[in-house]
Amino acid sequence: MQIHKLCFLALLLLLAHTASAVNLNLKSSNIAFLGDAELGPAADGISRSGALSMTRDANPFSHGQGLWSLPVPFKPSSNSRSPYPFETSFTFSITPRTNPAPGHGLAFIVVPALDNSGAGPGGFLGILNKTNNGYPSNHVFAVEFDVFQDKHVGDINDNHVGVDINSVKSAVAEKAGYWVQTVIGKRRMWSFKEVKLSNGERYKAWIEYRNSKVTVTLAPEAVRKPKKPLIVAHVDLSDVFLQNMYTGFAGAMGRGIERHDIWSWTFQNSAKK
Ligand SMILES: *[C@@H]1O[C@H](CO)[C@@H](O)[C@H](O)[C@H]1NC(C)=O
């Protein structure tokens, strides 16, 4: 087995309108840890695994958020209807510690504040709760990687990816997997490969937003970015995003124990620094 990097590193790129780019190294000092989020423990229980972890094994119904600690501009002004295009990619793993697979999942999130007091565990994924779920006043955008079927929030199965707008009831969801192109004779065919998100393996996800279109692409870490996304969602986020937002990750357990780990992260948008 490979020895994992001991230090959680990622890159936040805020691209200026000019060609110059700002690269920031993401270390624990750049992250706001809310709820149970922490730099995850290694197997020895003493050192750190290198992951940004959303949940803690010892806390039943654990949930947390790990957010870039500085606000990120998502629109040029508060009343603008033109959010900046952005793209982000990250690697993650979801590792059950109890049987049957306990849930519940993790998500890339964009939220209005460094405050998770309105977040709950289980199917709420550490993003929202029963009371506030679904309201436009939430100003929450998320892409969930959900490994438990919570029928009360409309989950399609226990292994899916969803685009969430102000609600953990996804606007669009697909079973987890990726598209591969194969050539049969002279014809190019797309075939779908399912993956099991909660098998402890590392996956990479790519999320892009541009011109009211969100694309989400997923693959095992060792696989190159598939040319065909898993999800293409036509959603206008101009009312969801405020001028400045916070971005990062959320995750939650239910009664059983499951790890929700982020291993690397890049984010970039076209905001002027
Ligand atoms: C949900 O969060 C809100 C704060 O946004 C809080 O007032 C409410 O009591 C919470 N509801 C539950 C069921 O935890």
Side-chain angles (χ1 to χ4, degrees):
M1 210 180 132
Q2 253 195 317
I3 296 175
H4 304 311
K5 266 197 196 160
L6 282 176
C7 172
F8 177 72
L9 279 181
L11 230 49
L12 186 92
L13 307 174
L14 290 173
L15 291 185
H17 284 307
T18 63
S20 71
V22 181
N23 300 355
L24 301 172
N25 257 344
L26 188 57
K27 302 200 181 72
S28 60
S29 57
N30 303 120
I31 296 290
F33 295 91
L34 308 180
D36 292 330
E38 61 173 352
L39 291 177
D44 63 12
I46 302 161
S47 45
R48 301 288 106 188
S49 66
L52 170 56
S53 300
M54 297 299 123
T55 51
R56 299 188 191 192
D57 294 3
N59 298 357
F61 300 98
S62 179
H63 66 95
Q65 295 182 3
L67 301 172
W68 183 254
S69 62
L70 298 172
V72 176
F74 270 73
K75 298 200 295 198
S77 66
S78 56
N79 58 1
S80 167
R81 308 234 10 112
S82 310
Y84 296 121
F86 70 85
E87 52 188 75
T88 186
S89 68
F90 53 94
T91 53
F92 68 92
S93 58
I94 300 174
T95 313
R97 296 275 198 239
T98 50
N99 276 315
H104 279 248
L106 59 76
F108 166 76
I109 60 172
V110 181
V111 293
L114 293 177
D115 173 12
N116 78 331
S117 60
F124 294 103
L125 299 176
I127 309 171
L128 291 164
N129 72 22
K130 197 176 174 176
T131 315
N132 57 28
N133 191 45
Y135 289 96
S137 54
N138 289 332
H139 296 285
V140 166
F141 171 76
V143 176
E144 61 170 54
F145 299 80
D146 189 328
V147 298
F148 192 93
Q149 185 168 25
D150 289 283
K151 294 203 169 128
H152 64 101
V153 293
D155 285 350
I156 58 168
N157 64 17
D158 62 357
N159 185 47
H160 63 272
V161 181
V163 173
D164 297 354
I165 296 169
N166 296 320
S167 173
V168 291
K169 184 168 187 169
S170 301
V172 182
E174 294 288 346
K175 64 184 172 188
Y178 61 104
W179 291 97
V180 283
Q181 204 175 36
T182 48
V183 180
I184 299 172
K186 283 181 180 164
R187 291 179 52 199
R188 288 171 182 276
M189 308 273 283
W190 289 107
S191 58
F192 187 72
K193 289 203 174 189
E194 279 189 54
V195 298
K196 179 137 183 71
L197 293 173
S198 65
N199 64 359
E201 300 291 319
R202 291 192 195 183
Y203 293 96
K204 186 165 184 184
W206 296 261
I207 298 162
E208 289 112 24
Y209 178 70
R210 182 178 294 276
N211 299 333
S212 300
K213 190 172 83 175
V214 174
T215 59
V216 183
T217 313
L218 174 73
E221 190 185 28
V223 173
R224 276 204 302 170
K225 184 184 180 186
K227 289 207 175 75
K228 183 177 158 89
L230 174 64
I231 293 177
V232 178
H234 295 274
V235 285
D236 182 356
L237 299 180
S238 51
D239 289 330
V240 179
F241 293 146
L242 305 174
Q243 183 176 4
N244 291 305
M245 303 290 285
Y246 294 87
T247 185
F249 300 91
M253 302 189 329
R255 200 175 297 278
I257 301 169
E258 181 171 274
R259 298 213 55 78
H260 302 89
D261 292 327
I262 308 297
W263 298 95
S264 69
W265 180 30
T266 74
F267 176 94
Q268 63 185 67
N269 74 9
S270 55
K272 243 193 188 94
K273 267 285 278 182

